[in-house]
Amino acid sequence: MSIKSKFKTFFFLDDEYDYENEEPYEEQAAPPARSQKHQASQKQNVVSLQSVQKASKVVLVEPRVYAEAQDIADQLKNRRAVVVNLQRIDREQAKRIVDFLSGTVYAIGGDIQKIGTDIFLCTPDNVEVSGSISQILQETEYEDTRW
């Protein structure tokens, strides 16, 4: 039994189709070439996904009370980087805010860095911070030893 007859019995129920007299398959002609102008206009409409970026925000916060720490955490959860200036708050509340933000940053997989005297940079996981200014901080002597 030939392969044609096996396929014939598998796919067709009636034996009326004659495979022996079937004409060979002819390739269809290639589609007509598009004009260069049409191709150029299509290339202009194509935008790389890498070039499309949503605008990022950096939020500057200077909390006066501990209750504002939740607002800072909400900004981090919304995937925004936050610079927190703790120079105008008493030391105990500042420590509590830093502890709260450290937990928040850890939970979202972000990072917290001290970038100055009582100034912290909190970043979510979608923001990468490169470089370090700790060398500058170590070279200059600060009188304030709050941290």
Side-chain angles (χ1 to χ4, degrees):
M1 187 183 253
S2 71
I3 291 180
K4 284 186 181 179
S5 61
K6 286 183 183 179
F7 280 126
K8 178 179 163 185
T9 57
F10 185 74
F11 290 107
F12 296 103
L13 297 175
D14 56 358
D15 293 330
E16 295 178 13
Y17 192 76
D18 185 16
Y19 288 99
E20 302 299 323
N21 294 330
E22 182 179 317
E23 293 188 27
Y25 175 76
E26 294 181 19
E27 287 189 28
Q28 297 178 350
R34 295 182 178 180
S35 68
Q36 290 180 353
K37 184 178 181 181
H38 180 69
Q39 289 176 351
S41 68
Q42 278 188 338
K43 287 182 181 178
Q44 292 174 354
N45 292 337
V46 177
V47 178
S48 171
L49 288 177
Q50 295 172 346
S51 66
V52 177
Q53 294 178 356
K54 188 177 176 183
S56 297
K57 282 189 174 182
V58 176
V59 181
L60 305 175
V61 180
E62 192 171 17
R64 304 282 173 131
V65 292
Y66 174 75
E68 294 178 32
Q70 186 174 357
D71 298 332
I72 300 168
D74 290 339
Q75 294 293 334
L76 288 167
K77 287 186 344 186
N78 290 331
R79 301 176 66 90
R80 294 187 183 119
V82 181
V83 176
V84 183
N85 182 357
L86 299 172
Q87 293 177 344
R88 294 191 177 188
I89 194 168
D90 69 317
R91 184 174 185 213
E92 291 304 315
Q93 286 190 359
K95 281 185 176 183
R96 289 179 61 201
I97 289 173
V98 170
D99 288 343
F100 182 81
L101 293 178
S102 295
T104 302
V105 166
Y106 177 78
I108 63 171
D111 190 26
I112 185 168
Q113 295 179 1
K114 185 175 181 179
I115 59 173
T117 305
D118 300 335
I119 300 174
F120 293 86
L121 173 63
C122 303
T123 55
D125 61 344
N126 66 324
V127 177
E128 180 181 336
V129 178
S130 61
S132 175
I133 59 171
S134 63
Q135 294 171 353
I136 298 171
L137 290 174
Q138 291 173 359
E139 290 173 3
T140 347
E141 294 180 352
Y142 287 103
E143 307 157 8
D144 191 12
T145 56
R146 289 174 58 163
W147 303 101

